[in-house]
Amino acid sequence: MASIYWVASGQIREQTDVRLELQSDLLINFAKTYGSLQALRDAIRIRNEEHDERVEPHFYVYALNLNTKLPFTKKLEAEYMSEDGRRVFGMLRFSDVLEIIDLDIQVRRDAYARVVVTRLPGGAQLLVAADMSEQNTLLQKLYKSMWVAIALMFLLAVLGGWLMGYGVLRRIDSIRQTAGEIINGDLSQRMVVTRRNDEFDRLSLVLNSMLQRIENLMKATREVTDNLAHDLRNPLNRLRNRLDTSRFQPIDAEHFQQLRQDALQDVDDLIKTFNALLSIAQAESGVHRDDWTAIQLDQLISDLGELYEAVAEEEGIKFSYKAQAGLVLQANRHLIAQVITNLLDNAVKYTPKEGVIQLSAEQQAGHIVLTVSDTGPGIPAEERERVFKRFVRLDNARSTPGNGLGLSLVKAVADLHDAQVELADNQPGLKVILRFAG
């Protein structure tokens, strides 16, 4: 607004100065034509008398000063001079201009005139003044309009700021209420997401993802706790019952040896369960991430294959293994070996006699693919996601020893190594495929 006012004021002053110069040049040329200052004085008198007592919206008055000791510029508020130094521009009260000219014209007391004083040859001075009432009125209207516009913009800004603040506070209050309900235990609550896709919506999406993750972890924790209590109860009860029964029976060496062996078996089962849980927790937390080395996968497959070849032969199962030469995997050797061991243990456990187990590792499309397949009962397609949860055991596996943590450990180690785990149908049996980045 200020720049508009300043540009308008400067443009009006510049245009007025141009017209004053034209009026001055016209009179100077008139004097040159007639060759005397007297003719110029008469022309000025005639032009001034034309105004008489009329009040015109825009007019000029003129004066000629031959007295160099009392120049017109003495009262003039000079602003600037022309490049040749002959003309001086400035502002002067219109009443003072009329007093200099000795002209009786009614003007407002606060009226100003734009004045140019031209120095003529011989020292005479020509004054041309233009009434600025119309221009000043326009500038005053512009000035008032500017303040009205500023006041309107200020009110709109305050109103807009209040509406924005109210909207922000509403969104914050909605988040606060949802957070309060979550704190009170309702983990199913989620932040409201609108269609505006603003910063609050993006924040709400992140918070909702976090809350979903927390809810899943809480559910998993409850399931683990429930399953752990259920799975530990049986071996602990068996251990207690054996010890309690032994108090009322005579114990010979053979009976004591059997009691000790059964107790050790129960304790070993408990230790295996806790070790599996600890391994899963360490894998999920990334504790072993700093222990990665370059693993010669073909050598590891060969070592484990020789070990399980004897186990499979003892169970009457056909076992074969192969690995592409030169396969190198950046990973934790202990965890990868534990994953392969778990998968082979499961395969041996569920594959019937005369069944087939295969272990292989090869390079495929930029990935290192590790595969363990068997000809056992397999896993139904609808159960293949659930079996990765801790302590989950299918109905056909409840009669076999185990704690339901083997595939959970496989999934945790795969996630640690940014690998993909896929359970597929081996027709018949199960095929477990792990894809590592090559």
Side-chain angles (χ1 to χ4, degrees):
M1 291 293 102
S3 65
I4 291 174
Y5 180 83
W6 179 77
V7 170
S9 176
Q11 190 67 23
I12 290 174
R13 184 176 65 251
E14 182 179 344
Q15 292 179 356
T16 304
D17 290 348
V18 170
R19 289 196 295 267
L20 289 173
E21 284 188 293
L22 291 175
Q23 292 290 329
S24 299
D25 291 340
L26 182 63
L27 290 174
I28 292 173
N29 291 333
F30 181 84
K32 288 180 179 179
T33 300
Y34 288 92
S36 69
L37 293 177
Q38 184 59 42
L40 178 59
R41 186 189 296 271
D42 292 339
I44 289 174
R45 178 178 55 78
I46 292 172
R47 290 194 176 207
N48 288 336
E49 288 176 354
E50 287 178 354
H51 295 296
D52 197 8
E53 295 183 355
R54 294 174 295 173
V55 179
E56 299 180 7
H58 183 78
F59 60 89
Y60 299 94
V61 292
Y62 313 89
L64 182 64
N65 181 19
L66 301 177
N67 186 358
T68 58
K69 293 183 179 180
L70 294 172
F72 287 147
T73 55
K74 187 174 183 180
K75 289 186 177 182
L76 181 64
E77 298 177 7
E79 294 182 4
Y80 69 96
M81 297 177 62
S82 61
E83 294 182 359
D84 57 8
R86 294 176 55 247
R87 283 176 175 157
V88 178
F89 296 85
M91 297 293 295
L92 195 62
R93 283 185 179 275
F94 210 97
S95 58
D96 294 339
V97 174
L98 296 179
E99 183 180 345
I100 293 173
I101 301 174
D102 193 17
L103 191 63
D104 186 15
I105 298 176
Q106 299 296 324
V107 295
R108 293 190 312 177
R109 302 184 65 181
D110 59 346
Y112 273 82
R114 186 72 180 170
V115 177
V116 59
V117 177
T118 306
R119 189 175 71 254
L120 302 177
Q125 292 179 330
L126 174 63
L127 180 146
V128 181
D131 178 28
M132 297 294 290
S133 298
E134 183 179 357
Q135 291 87 339
N136 289 337
T137 301
L138 175 62
L139 288 176
Q140 288 176 1
K141 289 181 179 179
L142 180 61
Y143 184 78
K144 292 178 181 178
S145 300
M146 179 184 71
W147 281 109
V148 170
I150 290 175
L152 182 60
M153 286 189 291
F154 177 78
L155 291 176
L156 290 175
V158 171
L159 178 61
W162 180 81
L163 290 175
M164 291 177 63
Y166 178 72
V168 170
L169 290 177
R170 281 187 59 191
R171 300 291 296 277
I172 293 177
D173 188 61
S174 174
I175 294 175
R176 181 190 60 78
Q177 290 180 355
T178 304
E181 294 176 0
I182 294 172
I183 291 173
N184 291 331
D186 188 1
L187 293 178
S188 64
Q189 292 294 323
R190 295 293 181 267
M191 305 299 172
V192 177
V193 180
T194 66
R195 296 182 179 179
R196 286 178 285 187
N197 195 28
D198 54 12
E199 288 78 6
F200 281 101
D201 288 332
R202 290 191 285 272
L203 176 62
S204 296
L205 288 174
V206 173
L207 291 176
N208 287 342
S209 299
M210 180 186 69
L211 291 171
Q212 185 64 45
R213 177 65 173 163
I214 292 174
E215 185 179 11
N216 292 338
L217 290 175
M218 293 295 292
K219 288 181 178 178
T221 301
R222 284 195 294 267
E223 290 176 0
V224 168
T225 303
D226 295 342
N227 292 328
L228 184 62
H230 180 271
D231 282 22
L232 294 184
R233 182 178 58 185
N234 291 335
L236 289 174
N237 283 336
R238 288 198 302 268
L239 182 61
R240 185 187 183 283
N241 290 336
R242 288 194 186 100
L243 295 176
D244 187 54
T245 303
S246 65
R247 293 189 305 166
F248 305 102
Q249 294 179 351
I251 300 178
D252 53 20
E254 182 180 355
H255 182 265
F256 178 77
Q257 184 68 21
Q258 183 64 39
L259 177 64
R260 185 175 64 175
Q261 184 176 350
D262 292 341
L264 287 175
Q265 183 62 46
D266 290 336
V267 173
D268 287 341
D269 291 341
L270 293 174
I271 293 175
K272 286 180 181 179
T273 300
F274 282 110
N275 285 339
L277 287 173
L278 181 60
S279 297
I280 294 173
Q282 289 177 340
E284 290 179 342
S285 63
V287 171
H288 299 288
R289 190 177 293 274
D290 297 333
D291 299 333
W292 286 15
T293 57
I295 303 174
Q296 296 293 332
L297 196 57
D298 52 348
Q299 183 63 44
L300 179 62
I301 294 295
S302 177
D303 294 341
L304 294 177
E306 291 177 3
L307 176 64
Y308 276 87
E309 194 171 30
V311 176
E313 184 178 356
E314 185 178 343
E315 296 291 333
I317 299 172
K318 296 179 182 179
F319 177 74
S320 63
Y321 62 93
K322 63 178 180 178
Q324 184 176 330
L327 285 182
V328 178
L329 178 64
Q330 288 290 336
N332 183 284
R333 182 181 179 86
H334 171 72
L335 292 180
I336 297 299
Q338 192 169 3
V339 163
I340 298 175
T341 301
N342 279 6
L343 293 177
L344 291 176
D345 283 341
N346 285 344
V348 171
K349 185 188 303 182
Y350 296 112
T351 301
K353 286 188 176 183
E354 303 300 326
V356 179
I357 298 176
Q358 293 179 332
L359 169 64
S360 64
E362 58 185 344
Q363 187 92 24
Q364 291 182 3
H367 292 80
I368 295 177
V369 180
L370 180 66
T371 306
V372 177
S373 60
D374 60 59
T375 55
I379 298 176
E382 64 274 11
E383 298 287 349
R384 289 174 187 169
E385 286 297 325
R386 194 170 72 91
V387 293
F388 288 118
K389 296 182 179 180
R390 301 176 191 182
F391 297 106
V392 172
R393 304 190 70 194
L394 302 182
D395 294 336
N396 59 0
R398 295 192 180 278
S399 59
T400 59
N403 49 29
L405 295 174
L407 289 178
S408 298
L409 178 60
V410 172
K411 184 69 168 66
V413 174
D415 291 341
L416 177 66
H417 292 83
D418 295 326
Q420 298 176 352
V421 185
E422 179 184 351
L423 302 182
D425 191 356
N426 196 38
Q427 297 180 353
L430 177 68
K431 181 184 291 185
V432 182
I433 305 171
L434 287 98
R435 289 186 175 88
F436 298 88

